[in-house]
Each structure stands twice: as structure tokens, then as C-alpha cells.
Amino acid sequence: MTTPVVIPRAERVAHFEQDVWSIFTPLALECQAVNLGQGFMNFPPPDFVVEAAREAVTRNDCNQYSHPKGRPRLRNALAKSYSPLFNRTLDPETEVVVTAGANEGIFSIFAGYLDQGSEVILMEPFFDQYISNITMNGGVPVYCPIRPAGDATKDMPASEWKIDIKELESKITPRSKIIVLNTPHNPIGKVFSREELEEIGALATKHNLLIISDEVYDRLYFDPMKHQRIATLDGLWERTITVGSGGKTFGTTGWRIGWLIGPKALVEPALAAHTRIVFCVNSPLQEAVAVGFEQADERGFFGSQIKAYEHKREKLLAVFRELGLPCTIPEGSYFILVNTDKIQVPKDYQFPELLWKRPKDFRTCYWLTKEIGVCAIPPTEFYSKPNQVLAENFARFAFCKTDETLDAAAERLLKLKAYIK
């Protein structure tokens, strides 16, 4: 029997804990639970996008390397679609970069801008990948929570979650280099108002910070809300890189097509890093996403998609209202934060030892998955440890699912009536 070889791992990965996805995704499969945890669609992308992908793989030019900036057809399509949304004519050669999903785009920005010890201001809750993206590039995350200003024991709109601008400014030091904004927000569903964006932008200007505006849900906002882009506000285009996602836009999360939009001087360092991380993004699926943008408006796709998601949102909200569980009503994205404080998990329930090292919401979501048959995600995963207490009485449910899946989840969730105080 051979002796295992032990090679010390790099410190940049040695401190990683087991992530929430590797706990709950296998658990949902094991229990045959309805998975409303991870935000992937269980319905196909639009036919015209799928057909474009099918056609692209038959063309040799689409099966070879693309330019690191992205295929010209996709950059041109992005520039055409987004120019009116940014109130300026975007240059597809210098102001648009295609990335291997939004996550790699964000990683590339951090790689292009962070030095050892540089600080990045994050608003909690945050997309969990931000943390590793920052620390693996030598940066230090600094946290400021978005708190519910309304009564979280009742249904309330996502707009009632507020960032205290004075508290946010108190987190800025001479080492601060970047502030990250996510709107529409995951997991709150908040669409930041113009006034809020102006306050954040004023701080970034005052302290000379780069703004990363994570807008991967920019095509998913619900009436009467309108998505406002911070880069369109006076003086903020010059300090903002906006991040987008083909996976969220067209329901193709596995294709890993994202993009960065910003002034040439800002995107160049991210492009330099991106070129050395992946060199280029897969060619045929870039072509398919380009076709998606070329045809989306004439097909009325974005408007019909919003209507479809509004229907799914209301379908899932209805069961929580029947159960008397308060919700944050999302104004964008496809997640609902549910207040679980009324759910009485049996005190003698046997949890794995691993979960006693995590906050309360991990145990609540584990029990929901095992005993109710519906998987949700504990949102403390999206908080720094000192602030996890703010989210331990919530669970995040995704509604980017078929009506049949949502109906099956609703039927199972009604079993909670016996456990609600």
C-alpha cells in the first residue's frame, strides 16, 4: 500500500470552508427534494438562442479561438443593445470585454486592480464568490450590511432594505480601492433607487474608488420598478465597470458567457488579467448569445420574460402567504427571502455535526430539505461571520423554475402548517 503524498496547499485556498452549494445540492438529490436552492433554470433557454448555438457549432470559425476581447459579433451586439441603456454610444472595440461568465469577469477586475492588502467594500448580503475572488488576488473584503428598515415580521418590499450611507463611508480607509454594488440584488431582490446610487457614487468619487456594478439581473426587474444604472449618473461612467451575464439574461447559466462594460482606461487592466486567466471564451456560445441580443427586441423577449418571472414570483409568494410566513417581495432577480422565525423545527431533531458549526439557518434549511422536501439556501452564507446573526431567521428560495416545479414545491411546503407557531 502506497503512502499518500501530501503537498501543502497554498494559503490562498487553505482557509476555504465547505461552501453551501456542496452541502445542499447533493442533499437535495439524495432526498429527492424540490430544489429551490441554487439559482439555475430547470426550463430550456429560448428556442432562437438554442438554435443559434446548434448552428454555430457546425461552423469551423466558431470552433476555434476567439479574440480575448470576445467575438466581434457579440461585442457589436452588446454595444448596440446597451448603448441606449447607458445613454451613450459604446465602442465595441474598447469598451466591451466578453468574459467566461460574470464571475470570471469580476475575478479579472480584482486581478487587474488589487495589490496585496487593497480593500474592497462589500454590501451584505453579497454573492459568495466575491470573497474568494478578492482574497485570491491579495485583497481584503470589508463589510457593510444592508438592513431591513421595515417590519421583517410582515411582508415588505425589497426597497425597504437600506444601506446606511454614513456606516458605509465609515468602512472606507486609505487602503480602500473598490466598492462593489449589486443591483438588482441577490438575494434581497432590491433594485437600488437613483437617490441611493447617487449617494454611493458620491462616496466613490470623494474617496477615488472604482465601482464594480454587478448587474447580472439587469433584464429581470418587475413593475413598477425600473433598473437604474449607476454608470449613467453624472461623473460615474468614468469610474464604473458594469458586469453582465448571458446566463441570467437568456437562462443559459452553464454557458458561462459574461461581459464587462466601461471606459477603455478602466477595462484594459481587467482585459489584461482576463487574457492570462482564460485567454478567450468559448466561441460557439458567444455567437449564440450574440444572436440572442440581435433578435431579442424584435421578438419582445425581454418583456415577455419579465412577465413570466412575475407570474412565477406570485405563484411562490402565494404559498408563503397561505402559511403566514413573511417575505421580502423581490423587485428584481429571481429569489425570495422568507422569514422562517415562525417555523418550529423539532428540538430533538438530529443534525449532522457539521451543521452545529454553522448558523441556525443552515439547520432550518437542512430540515426543510430532509423533512419537507423543498431545498432552500441559508443566506448567512452571504454574510461575514460577525453579521451572520442578521440573516439566521431567513431562507432564500429561487423561483427560476417551471410552474410544475413551483407547484410541487408549494404542495410540499404546505406541510409546514403543522410546524408554524
Side-chain angles (χ1 to χ4, degrees):
M1 189 172 180
T2 59
T3 303
V5 175
V6 179
I7 308 293
R9 65 185 64 189
E11 178 56 34
R12 71 176 66 90
V13 300
H15 65 281
F16 291 165
E17 288 185 322
Q18 184 177 7
D19 67 75
V20 70
W21 317 110
S22 63
I23 297 172
F24 283 92
T25 301
L27 180 67
L29 288 170
E30 173 194 324
C31 302
Q32 296 187 308
V34 179
N35 190 350
L36 302 187
Q38 199 167 4
F40 63 86
M41 298 75 176
N42 70 335
F43 49 84
D47 290 344
F48 65 97
V49 176
V50 173
E51 183 55 38
R54 185 179 292 114
E55 191 274 335
V57 296
T58 67
R59 292 168 40 201
N60 187 55
D61 68 302
C62 290
N63 288 304
Q64 308 305 325
Y65 296 123
S66 292
H67 193 286
K69 289 189 293 189
R71 292 183 68 77
R73 186 175 185 179
L74 178 53
R75 285 186 281 117
N76 285 327
L78 288 166
K80 182 178 180 181
S81 180
Y82 277 96
S83 286
L85 302 179
F86 279 82
N87 301 325
R88 65 192 315 117
T89 301
L90 296 173
D91 184 344
E93 287 299 314
T94 62
E95 297 176 338
V96 180
V97 173
V98 179
T99 59
N103 190 38
E104 188 265 326
I106 292 170
F107 187 96
S108 295
I109 299 171
F110 290 141
Y113 279 94
L114 296 181
D115 295 310
Q116 196 67 35
S118 297
E119 292 178 352
V120 179
I121 311 297
L122 299 177
M123 294 174 233
E124 300 177 287
F126 47 74
F127 176 49
D128 58 323
Q129 289 288 320
Y130 292 163
I131 307 305
S132 55
N133 288 355
I134 293 166
T135 60
M136 290 182 71
N137 284 296
V140 178
V142 178
Y143 309 99
C144 185
I146 306 171
R147 295 184 172 90
D151 184 354
T153 66
K154 301 176 182 177
D155 281 359
M156 68 176 191
S159 57
E160 291 193 22
W161 288 67
K162 301 288 187 181
I163 189 79
D164 183 325
I165 202 70
K166 291 182 179 178
E167 182 180 12
L168 186 63
E169 184 166 24
S170 75
K171 305 296 182 179
I172 299 172
T173 75
R175 296 180 297 279
S176 302
K177 199 163 191 181
I178 298 174
I179 187 166
V180 180
L181 167 72
N182 176 210
T183 182
H185 190 277
N186 167 23
I188 297 172
K190 176 182 175 68
V191 177
F192 280 74
S193 70
R194 182 185 182 93
E195 180 182 4
E196 289 170 321
L197 297 178
E198 286 173 341
E199 290 181 327
I200 293 165
L203 287 186
T205 301
K206 177 179 177 181
H207 298 279
N208 194 30
L209 303 179
L210 170 66
I211 301 169
I212 297 177
S213 191
D214 180 350
E215 301 183 17
V216 298
Y217 301 100
D218 68 339
R219 306 285 181 162
L220 292 173
Y221 53 87
F222 310 125
D223 286 340
M225 300 303 296
K226 298 297 180 186
H227 174 54
Q228 174 76 55
R229 299 173 192 277
I230 195 167
T232 65
L233 303 183
D234 287 347
L236 297 182
W237 162 258
E238 292 77 12
R239 65 173 61 252
T240 302
I241 301 177
T242 301
V243 183
S245 166
K248 305 301 189 295
T249 301
F250 293 110
T252 55
T253 60
W255 288 12
R256 313 310 297 142
I257 303 291
W259 49 85
L260 308 178
I261 295 175
K264 179 176 183 287
L266 290 189
V267 299
E268 279 184 338
L271 173 60
H274 159 79
T275 303
R276 288 153 183 84
I277 295 166
V278 296
F279 180 68
C280 68
V281 180
N282 78 77
S283 299
L285 299 183
Q286 287 192 63
E287 202 77 359
V289 172
V291 171
F293 276 106
E294 289 168 357
Q295 297 187 16
D297 286 338
E298 67 186 53
R299 292 175 177 270
F301 171 72
F302 295 130
S304 63
Q305 180 172 248
I306 286 173
K307 294 296 183 185
Y309 273 99
E310 286 175 334
H311 166 76
K312 294 177 187 298
R313 178 188 64 168
E314 294 309 309
K315 181 179 281 287
L316 191 55
L317 283 171
V319 71
F320 293 124
R321 287 170 176 151
E322 183 173 346
L323 291 167
L325 293 177
C327 298
T328 295
I329 313 301
E331 301 157 340
S333 79
Y334 43 64
F335 302 105
I336 298 174
L337 276 183
V338 178
N339 188 323
T340 59
D341 190 45
K342 291 181 179 180
I343 299 174
Q344 298 292 289
V345 176
K347 291 182 179 179
D348 58 353
Y349 192 80
Q350 297 297 305
F351 290 102
E353 186 63 29
L354 164 72
L355 297 185
W356 290 107
K357 299 175 183 177
R358 300 296 184 100
K360 173 187 171 185
D361 58 335
F362 271 75
R363 295 187 291 280
T364 301
C365 289
Y366 179 91
W367 178 83
L368 284 169
T369 305
K370 288 277 284 187
E371 304 304 329
I372 303 301
V374 179
C375 180
I377 289 298
T380 57
E381 180 79 356
F382 312 133
Y383 284 78
S384 61
K385 289 190 186 307
N387 288 330
Q388 286 178 337
V389 65
L390 297 174
E392 65 179 3
N393 287 323
F394 289 94
R396 190 195 79 169
F397 293 82
F399 56 90
C400 51
K401 311 295 178 183
T402 63
D403 283 1
E404 292 76 14
T405 298
L406 295 174
D407 288 339
E411 183 178 351
R412 295 184 184 195
L413 285 166
L414 290 176
K415 294 188 290 184
L416 281 173
K417 288 181 177 181
Y419 298 95
I420 292 176
K421 64 183 179 182

